[in-house]
Amino acid sequence: MILAAAHVNTGDTAWLLTSTALVLLMTPGLALFYGGMVRTKSVLNMLMMSFVSIALVTVVWLAAGYSLAFGDDVLGGLIGGLEHSGMHGIGPGSVHGTVPTLLFATFQLTFAIITAALISGAVADRTKFSAWLLFVPAWTLLVYVPVAHWVWGPGGWILDRLGALDFAGGLPVEITSGASGLALCLVLGPRLGFQKDAMRPHNLPMVVLGAGLLWFGWFGFNAGSAPGASGLAAAAFLNTLAAGCTGLLGWLFVEHRRDGHPTTLGAVSGSVAGLVAITPSCGTVSLLGALVVGLAAGIVCSYAVSWKFKLNYDDSLDVVGVHLVGGIIGTLLIGLFAEKAMTGGTQGLFYGGGLAPLGKQLLAVVVVAGYAFTVTYGLGRLLDKAMGFRASAEQEQTGLDLTVHAETAYDHGVLGHGAPFSHSVVAVQKAPVREAAAQKVESQA
Amino acid sequence: MKLITAIVKPYRLDEVKTALQELGVQGLTVTEASGYGRQRGHTEVYRGAEYRVDLVPKARIEVVVEDTAADDVMDAIVKAARTGKIGDGKVWAVPVETVVRVRTGERGPDAL
C-alpha cells in the first residue's frame, strides 16, 4: 500500500528499522527450526537452504522484484512496472508514507526472503542444492512478487480493488509458501523410506530455539506492518502474542487427548500455527478474535499434519499442515472477526458485516493458493526436466551434508552417544609450516 | 576365574558399582550399550506420528573374578540392579582361561 506522501517520521522509521531487523532474524530462526527437525545427516543442508535464500532473494528483489511488486500498476492490478529496477530513482531522500522508501523496500524484502525459505521444509532431505539455487529466484519473481503486488502493491486487485483484508501477509507469505510446498513435494516425490523408516527430529532443543527466534521476529513481521509506531502496531503486537499462546495450548490439548503426551514439538508447532494464522488478521481482529484465531489454528493444524501419511505425499516438515492450513484459517476468520475499530471500516460476520467480507476472503484464498500451486508445479517440473530437482538416491541415503557440502554437523560415535575413539582418526592434512620449521631446527642442530 | 557380564539399566549403574566395591571387587569395565529384550524398546511421538524405537540404552558391566566369588558377585549385581520393572537386564558368567596384568606381567588370580 502506498500512503500519501509525507515527511519522514523518525518514530515510524525507528520502529520499521527495528522491525526489518526482526523479520530478517526469522530466517536464521527458521533454519534452526527446520534444521532440528531433519535427521542428523542433512541438518547442514537444511540450514543452507534457508541461508542461501537470504542472498538469492535479496539480489532478485533489488534487481526487479521490488519494482514489480510495488512499482506503479501496469496490468489492471496484476503486476507493477519495472521503473524501479535496480532501485532506480530511489535514494536516501525518497519517502514512502512516513518512512524512507529504501527502508520500506528492505522491510518488504525480508518477507520475500522468509517466504522462499519456508518452502524448503516441504522438500527437506532430498532436494538437489543446485536446483534450489535456481528455483528460489525464479519462484520469487513468478509467484511471490505478483501476489505481493495483488495484496500490497498500488492498485493491486486483492486489497485495492476487491477489498479483501490481509494485514501482514497471510496470502503472499503463508498461503503461497504452503501451496508451493505442496506442489514441490509432489514434483519431487517422497523421501526414501517415507512411511517405513522413523524420520524423527534429530535435535528438539534446536527446534525450540528456532521457534523462539521465529516468534521474536514475528513481532516485527506483524507489528511492523502497521506500518508505523502506532496504536495499531501495539494491537497487532498483542494479538501476535495472544494467538501464539492459544495456538500452543490448542495443539497441546489435541495431543494430550489423542496421544496421551503433551510434546515439546507439539508446543512449538502449535505456537507457530497460531502465529501463521494471526499474520493476516493481527491488524483486523480484536483481541478476542486473536485468541480464537490462534486456538483454531493450533487445533486444526495439529490434525492437518497427519494428512501426509493418509494421502501419501511427503511434506517433510509440514509446510502444508502448518502454513497453508494456518494461513487459510487466519485469512478466512477475518471474514468473521473483523472489527471496525481495527480495520477502520470493514466488519466481519460476527459484528454485523454480513457474508460479503467472508466471500472476499475466500475468493482471495482460492485464487492465491491456486496460482501459487499451479505456477510452482510448472516451474518445478521444468527444472526437474532441465537439470533434475532431486538429489540422487546415494546422496539421499548417505546424507546431503556429506555428499553435497562435504561437511558433517556432529562428531558421532556409532550409536550416537559419544565419540570416544573419534580423535584417533588422523588428520589428513599435514601442517606444512610447522613441519618445515621443525626440519629447519633439526638441520641447524 | 569367571568373566561376569551384566546388562543393566544405566541409572542403576551407581548402585551396582557400590555393591561390587562392598564385596571387594577390585575393578570393572563399563560400556554404553543398546539393545532390547522381551519388552522391545519404546514408542516416541512426533506431531502425532508414532515411532517404535527398538534399541534401548543400557550399561554393560564386565568384571573378572575368582570362581569362588562368582555367585556372590552375580547376586550382588542382580540385587543392586533390580527395579522389578520390565527391562531390568541380564547377568551371565563365562569361564576365563587366564588373565595378565599389563603393567607387571602377573598371571592368573594374582592379576585380578
Side-chain angles (χ1 to χ4, degrees), chain A residues 228-256:
Chain A
S230 62
L232 185 58
F237 197 113
L238 182 59
N239 281 349
T240 302
L241 178 58
C245 292
T246 48
L248 188 160
L249 295 171
W251 194 301
L252 281 191
F253 174 75
V254 170
E255 279 195 332
H256 185 66

PDB file of all heavy atoms in Angstrom, chain A residues 228-256:
ATOM      1  N   GLY A 228       3.897   1.745  11.182  1.00  0.00           N
ATOM      2  CA  GLY A 228       4.452   2.889  11.890  1.00  0.00           C
ATOM      3  C   GLY A 228       4.407   2.585  13.375  1.00  0.00           C
ATOM      4  O   GLY A 228       3.878   1.554  13.788  1.00  0.00           O
ATOM      5  N   ALA A 229       4.958   3.487  14.171  1.00  0.00           N
ATOM      6  CA  ALA A 229       4.940   3.301  15.621  1.00  0.00           C
ATOM      7  C   ALA A 229       3.609   3.845  16.134  1.00  0.00           C
ATOM      8  O   ALA A 229       3.487   5.027  16.438  1.00  0.00           O
ATOM      9  CB  ALA A 229       6.116   4.035  16.254  1.00  0.00           C
ATOM     10  N   SER A 230       2.590   2.973  16.168  1.00  0.00           N
ATOM     11  CA  SER A 230       1.228   3.464  16.409  1.00  0.00           C
ATOM     12  C   SER A 230       0.455   2.528  17.323  1.00  0.00           C
ATOM     13  O   SER A 230       0.929   1.449  17.678  1.00  0.00           O
ATOM     14  CB  SER A 230       0.486   3.537  15.075  1.00  0.00           C
ATOM     15  OG  SER A 230       0.396   2.232  14.529  1.00  0.00           O
ATOM     16  N   GLY A 231      -0.758   2.932  17.660  1.00  0.00           N
ATOM     17  CA  GLY A 231      -1.644   2.074  18.438  1.00  0.00           C
ATOM     18  C   GLY A 231      -1.992   0.803  17.689  1.00  0.00           C
ATOM     19  O   GLY A 231      -2.137  -0.266  18.285  1.00  0.00           O
ATOM     20  N   LEU A 232      -2.120   0.917  16.366  1.00  0.00           N
ATOM     21  CA  LEU A 232      -2.413  -0.268  15.558  1.00  0.00           C
ATOM     22  C   LEU A 232      -1.259  -1.271  15.649  1.00  0.00           C
ATOM     23  O   LEU A 232      -1.480  -2.481  15.734  1.00  0.00           O
ATOM     24  CB  LEU A 232      -2.655   0.144  14.099  1.00  0.00           C
ATOM     25  CG  LEU A 232      -3.090  -0.970  13.143  1.00  0.00           C
ATOM     26  CD1 LEU A 232      -4.378  -1.639  13.613  1.00  0.00           C
ATOM     27  CD2 LEU A 232      -3.272  -0.423  11.716  1.00  0.00           C
ATOM     28  N   ALA A 233      -0.025  -0.737  15.668  1.00  0.00           N
ATOM     29  CA  ALA A 233       1.139  -1.621  15.823  1.00  0.00           C
ATOM     30  C   ALA A 233       1.069  -2.327  17.174  1.00  0.00           C
ATOM     31  O   ALA A 233       1.358  -3.528  17.282  1.00  0.00           O
ATOM     32  CB  ALA A 233       2.433  -0.822  15.699  1.00  0.00           C
ATOM     33  N   ALA A 234       0.676  -1.589  18.201  1.00  0.00           N
ATOM     34  CA  ALA A 234       0.576  -2.185  19.534  1.00  0.00           C
ATOM     35  C   ALA A 234      -0.484  -3.282  19.555  1.00  0.00           C
ATOM     36  O   ALA A 234      -0.276  -4.350  20.137  1.00  0.00           O
ATOM     37  CB  ALA A 234       0.250  -1.106  20.566  1.00  0.00           C
ATOM     38  N   ALA A 235      -1.619  -3.025  18.899  1.00  0.00           N
ATOM     39  CA  ALA A 235      -2.689  -4.033  18.855  1.00  0.00           C
ATOM     40  C   ALA A 235      -2.222  -5.278  18.111  1.00  0.00           C
ATOM     41  O   ALA A 235      -2.465  -6.410  18.547  1.00  0.00           O
ATOM     42  CB  ALA A 235      -3.923  -3.438  18.175  1.00  0.00           C
ATOM     43  N   ALA A 236      -1.529  -5.060  16.982  1.00  0.00           N
ATOM     44  CA  ALA A 236      -1.032  -6.194  16.206  1.00  0.00           C
ATOM     45  C   ALA A 236      -0.006  -6.990  17.017  1.00  0.00           C
ATOM     46  O   ALA A 236       0.048  -8.223  16.967  1.00  0.00           O
ATOM     47  CB  ALA A 236      -0.399  -5.701  14.899  1.00  0.00           C
ATOM     48  N   PHE A 237       0.802  -6.263  17.784  1.00  0.00           N
ATOM     49  CA  PHE A 237       1.827  -6.889  18.635  1.00  0.00           C
ATOM     50  C   PHE A 237       1.168  -7.804  19.666  1.00  0.00           C
ATOM     51  O   PHE A 237       1.516  -8.983  19.822  1.00  0.00           O
ATOM     52  CB  PHE A 237       2.637  -5.782  19.326  1.00  0.00           C
ATOM     53  CG  PHE A 237       3.948  -6.213  19.893  1.00  0.00           C
ATOM     54  CD1 PHE A 237       5.146  -5.739  19.358  1.00  0.00           C
ATOM     55  CD2 PHE A 237       4.013  -7.068  20.992  1.00  0.00           C
ATOM     56  CE1 PHE A 237       6.372  -6.125  19.891  1.00  0.00           C
ATOM     57  CE2 PHE A 237       5.225  -7.449  21.529  1.00  0.00           C
ATOM     58  CZ  PHE A 237       6.403  -6.980  20.976  1.00  0.00           C
ATOM     59  N   LEU A 238       0.165  -7.255  20.357  1.00  0.00           N
ATOM     60  CA  LEU A 238      -0.506  -8.030  21.401  1.00  0.00           C
ATOM     61  C   LEU A 238      -1.258  -9.217  20.805  1.00  0.00           C
ATOM     62  O   LEU A 238      -1.231 -10.324  21.350  1.00  0.00           O
ATOM     63  CB  LEU A 238      -1.462  -7.130  22.195  1.00  0.00           C
ATOM     64  CG  LEU A 238      -2.201  -7.820  23.351  1.00  0.00           C
ATOM     65  CD1 LEU A 238      -1.228  -8.397  24.369  1.00  0.00           C
ATOM     66  CD2 LEU A 238      -3.156  -6.842  24.031  1.00  0.00           C
ATOM     67  N   ASN A 239      -1.927  -8.989  19.667  1.00  0.00           N
ATOM     68  CA  ASN A 239      -2.639 -10.097  19.002  1.00  0.00           C
ATOM     69  C   ASN A 239      -1.676 -11.218  18.614  1.00  0.00           C
ATOM     70  O   ASN A 239      -2.017 -12.398  18.673  1.00  0.00           O
ATOM     71  CB  ASN A 239      -3.355  -9.585  17.743  1.00  0.00           C
ATOM     72  CG  ASN A 239      -4.664  -8.882  18.076  1.00  0.00           C
ATOM     73  OD1 ASN A 239      -5.133  -8.954  19.208  1.00  0.00           O
ATOM     74  ND2 ASN A 239      -5.232  -8.205  17.100  1.00  0.00           N
ATOM     75  N   THR A 240      -0.458 -10.827  18.212  1.00  0.00           N
ATOM     76  CA  THR A 240       0.542 -11.814  17.815  1.00  0.00           C
ATOM     77  C   THR A 240       0.935 -12.678  19.012  1.00  0.00           C
ATOM     78  O   THR A 240       1.051 -13.903  18.906  1.00  0.00           O
ATOM     79  CB  THR A 240       1.775 -11.090  17.242  1.00  0.00           C
ATOM     80  OG1 THR A 240       1.355 -10.297  16.130  1.00  0.00           O
ATOM     81  CG2 THR A 240       2.851 -12.068  16.806  1.00  0.00           C
ATOM     82  N   LEU A 241       1.122 -12.044  20.139  1.00  0.00           N
ATOM     83  CA  LEU A 241       1.462 -12.797  21.348  1.00  0.00           C
ATOM     84  C   LEU A 241       0.308 -13.718  21.743  1.00  0.00           C
ATOM     85  O   LEU A 241       0.497 -14.907  22.023  1.00  0.00           O
ATOM     86  CB  LEU A 241       1.782 -11.826  22.492  1.00  0.00           C
ATOM     87  CG  LEU A 241       2.114 -12.456  23.844  1.00  0.00           C
ATOM     88  CD1 LEU A 241       3.302 -13.400  23.735  1.00  0.00           C
ATOM     89  CD2 LEU A 241       2.405 -11.375  24.883  1.00  0.00           C
ATOM     90  N   ALA A 242      -0.908 -13.158  21.719  1.00  0.00           N
ATOM     91  CA  ALA A 242      -2.086 -13.915  22.175  1.00  0.00           C
ATOM     92  C   ALA A 242      -2.322 -15.147  21.312  1.00  0.00           C
ATOM     93  O   ALA A 242      -2.551 -16.250  21.824  1.00  0.00           O
ATOM     94  CB  ALA A 242      -3.320 -13.008  22.151  1.00  0.00           C
ATOM     95  N   ALA A 243      -2.256 -14.972  19.993  1.00  0.00           N
ATOM     96  CA  ALA A 243      -2.561 -16.087  19.096  1.00  0.00           C
ATOM     97  C   ALA A 243      -1.488 -17.171  19.172  1.00  0.00           C
ATOM     98  O   ALA A 243      -1.789 -18.366  19.084  1.00  0.00           O
ATOM     99  CB  ALA A 243      -2.701 -15.586  17.661  1.00  0.00           C
ATOM    100  N   GLY A 244      -0.231 -16.758  19.344  1.00  0.00           N
ATOM    101  CA  GLY A 244       0.834 -17.759  19.507  1.00  0.00           C
ATOM    102  C   GLY A 244       0.566 -18.627  20.731  1.00  0.00           C
ATOM    103  O   GLY A 244       0.766 -19.843  20.719  1.00  0.00           O
ATOM    104  N   CYS A 245       0.078 -17.990  21.785  1.00  0.00           N
ATOM    105  CA  CYS A 245      -0.179 -18.715  23.035  1.00  0.00           C
ATOM    106  C   CYS A 245      -1.360 -19.669  22.909  1.00  0.00           C
ATOM    107  O   CYS A 245      -1.280 -20.825  23.326  1.00  0.00           O
ATOM    108  CB  CYS A 245      -0.445 -17.731  24.174  1.00  0.00           C
ATOM    109  SG  CYS A 245       1.013 -16.791  24.618  1.00  0.00           S
ATOM    110  N   THR A 246      -2.465 -19.201  22.311  1.00  0.00           N
ATOM    111  CA  THR A 246      -3.612 -20.108  22.207  1.00  0.00           C
ATOM    112  C   THR A 246      -3.347 -21.203  21.178  1.00  0.00           C
ATOM    113  O   THR A 246      -3.865 -22.316  21.303  1.00  0.00           O
ATOM    114  CB  THR A 246      -4.922 -19.353  21.867  1.00  0.00           C
ATOM    115  OG1 THR A 246      -4.668 -18.463  20.779  1.00  0.00           O
ATOM    116  CG2 THR A 246      -5.425 -18.568  23.057  1.00  0.00           C
ATOM    117  N   GLY A 247      -2.523 -20.900  20.183  1.00  0.00           N
ATOM    118  CA  GLY A 247      -2.125 -21.939  19.228  1.00  0.00           C
ATOM    119  C   GLY A 247      -1.365 -23.049  19.939  1.00  0.00           C
ATOM    120  O   GLY A 247      -1.624 -24.244  19.749  1.00  0.00           O
ATOM    121  N   LEU A 248      -0.431 -22.654  20.784  1.00  0.00           N
ATOM    122  CA  LEU A 248       0.368 -23.615  21.556  1.00  0.00           C
ATOM    123  C   LEU A 248      -0.541 -24.481  22.425  1.00  0.00           C
ATOM    124  O   LEU A 248      -0.449 -25.713  22.432  1.00  0.00           O
ATOM    125  CB  LEU A 248       1.368 -22.834  22.411  1.00  0.00           C
ATOM    126  CG  LEU A 248       2.458 -23.574  23.183  1.00  0.00           C
ATOM    127  CD1 LEU A 248       3.591 -22.606  23.520  1.00  0.00           C
ATOM    128  CD2 LEU A 248       1.951 -24.201  24.465  1.00  0.00           C
ATOM    129  N   LEU A 249      -1.456 -23.821  23.138  1.00  0.00           N
ATOM    130  CA  LEU A 249      -2.331 -24.562  24.055  1.00  0.00           C
ATOM    131  C   LEU A 249      -3.286 -25.478  23.288  1.00  0.00           C
ATOM    132  O   LEU A 249      -3.565 -26.600  23.713  1.00  0.00           O
ATOM    133  CB  LEU A 249      -3.111 -23.581  24.940  1.00  0.00           C
ATOM    134  CG  LEU A 249      -2.232 -22.759  25.904  1.00  0.00           C
ATOM    135  CD1 LEU A 249      -3.056 -21.665  26.585  1.00  0.00           C
ATOM    136  CD2 LEU A 249      -1.582 -23.658  26.943  1.00  0.00           C
ATOM    137  N   GLY A 250      -3.774 -25.000  22.150  1.00  0.00           N
ATOM    138  CA  GLY A 250      -4.693 -25.805  21.345  1.00  0.00           C
ATOM    139  C   GLY A 250      -4.034 -27.084  20.867  1.00  0.00           C
ATOM    140  O   GLY A 250      -4.615 -28.172  20.937  1.00  0.00           O
ATOM    141  N   TRP A 251      -2.802 -26.960  20.378  1.00  0.00           N
ATOM    142  CA  TRP A 251      -2.081 -28.144  19.859  1.00  0.00           C
ATOM    143  C   TRP A 251      -1.821 -29.134  21.003  1.00  0.00           C
ATOM    144  O   TRP A 251      -2.018 -30.341  20.850  1.00  0.00           O
ATOM    145  CB  TRP A 251      -0.773 -27.712  19.210  1.00  0.00           C
ATOM    146  CG  TRP A 251      -0.111 -28.756  18.354  1.00  0.00           C
ATOM    147  CD1 TRP A 251       0.305 -29.992  18.762  1.00  0.00           C
ATOM    148  CD2 TRP A 251       0.215 -28.674  16.962  1.00  0.00           C
ATOM    149  NE1 TRP A 251       0.869 -30.676  17.715  1.00  0.00           N
ATOM    150  CE2 TRP A 251       0.822 -29.889  16.602  1.00  0.00           C
ATOM    151  CE3 TRP A 251       0.058 -27.681  15.993  1.00  0.00           C
ATOM    152  CZ2 TRP A 251       1.285 -30.139  15.312  1.00  0.00           C
ATOM    153  CZ3 TRP A 251       0.519 -27.941  14.703  1.00  0.00           C
ATOM    154  CH2 TRP A 251       1.118 -29.149  14.369  1.00  0.00           C
ATOM    155  N   LEU A 252      -1.401 -28.609  22.157  1.00  0.00           N
ATOM    156  CA  LEU A 252      -1.133 -29.491  23.300  1.00  0.00           C
ATOM    157  C   LEU A 252      -2.402 -30.211  23.755  1.00  0.00           C
ATOM    158  O   LEU A 252      -2.363 -31.378  24.136  1.00  0.00           O
ATOM    159  CB  LEU A 252      -0.567 -28.692  24.478  1.00  0.00           C
ATOM    160  CG  LEU A 252       0.908 -28.318  24.417  1.00  0.00           C
ATOM    161  CD1 LEU A 252       1.351 -27.770  25.761  1.00  0.00           C
ATOM    162  CD2 LEU A 252       1.776 -29.508  24.035  1.00  0.00           C
ATOM    163  N   PHE A 253      -3.522 -29.496  23.715  1.00  0.00           N
ATOM    164  CA  PHE A 253      -4.793 -30.082  24.113  1.00  0.00           C
ATOM    165  C   PHE A 253      -5.114 -31.291  23.226  1.00  0.00           C
ATOM    166  O   PHE A 253      -5.462 -32.368  23.711  1.00  0.00           O
ATOM    167  CB  PHE A 253      -5.901 -29.018  24.012  1.00  0.00           C
ATOM    168  CG  PHE A 253      -7.278 -29.544  24.259  1.00  0.00           C
ATOM    169  CD1 PHE A 253      -7.692 -29.850  25.552  1.00  0.00           C
ATOM    170  CD2 PHE A 253      -8.159 -29.738  23.207  1.00  0.00           C
ATOM    171  CE1 PHE A 253      -8.965 -30.346  25.774  1.00  0.00           C
ATOM    172  CE2 PHE A 253      -9.433 -30.237  23.431  1.00  0.00           C
ATOM    173  CZ  PHE A 253      -9.841 -30.538  24.722  1.00  0.00           C
ATOM    174  N   VAL A 254      -4.943 -31.099  21.916  1.00  0.00           N
ATOM    175  CA  VAL A 254      -5.213 -32.207  20.983  1.00  0.00           C
ATOM    176  C   VAL A 254      -4.270 -33.374  21.268  1.00  0.00           C
ATOM    177  O   VAL A 254      -4.690 -34.533  21.328  1.00  0.00           O
ATOM    178  CB  VAL A 254      -5.056 -31.739  19.518  1.00  0.00           C
ATOM    179  CG1 VAL A 254      -5.085 -32.927  18.561  1.00  0.00           C
ATOM    180  CG2 VAL A 254      -6.151 -30.752  19.159  1.00  0.00           C
ATOM    181  N   GLU A 255      -3.003 -33.070  21.454  1.00  0.00           N
ATOM    182  CA  GLU A 255      -2.030 -34.144  21.698  1.00  0.00           C
ATOM    183  C   GLU A 255      -2.348 -34.915  22.966  1.00  0.00           C
ATOM    184  O   GLU A 255      -2.238 -36.138  23.016  1.00  0.00           O
ATOM    185  CB  GLU A 255      -0.623 -33.543  21.836  1.00  0.00           C
ATOM    186  CG  GLU A 255       0.018 -33.246  20.513  1.00  0.00           C
ATOM    187  CD  GLU A 255       1.500 -33.012  20.651  1.00  0.00           C
ATOM    188  OE1 GLU A 255       1.960 -32.573  21.722  1.00  0.00           O
ATOM    189  OE2 GLU A 255       2.214 -33.258  19.691  1.00  0.00           O
ATOM    190  N   HIS A 256      -2.696 -34.173  23.992  1.00  0.00           N
ATOM    191  CA  HIS A 256      -2.977 -34.822  25.264  1.00  0.00           C
ATOM    192  C   HIS A 256      -4.148 -35.782  25.121  1.00  0.00           C
ATOM    193  O   HIS A 256      -4.132 -36.894  25.636  1.00  0.00           O
ATOM    194  CB  HIS A 256      -3.276 -33.766  26.331  1.00  0.00           C
ATOM    195  CG  HIS A 256      -3.464 -34.357  27.687  1.00  0.00           C
ATOM    196  ND1 HIS A 256      -2.442 -34.971  28.371  1.00  0.00           N
ATOM    197  CD2 HIS A 256      -4.556 -34.454  28.474  1.00  0.00           C
ATOM    198  CE1 HIS A 256      -2.901 -35.416  29.529  1.00  0.00           C
ATOM    199  NE2 HIS A 256      -4.174 -35.119  29.612  1.00  0.00           N
TER     200      HIS A 256
END
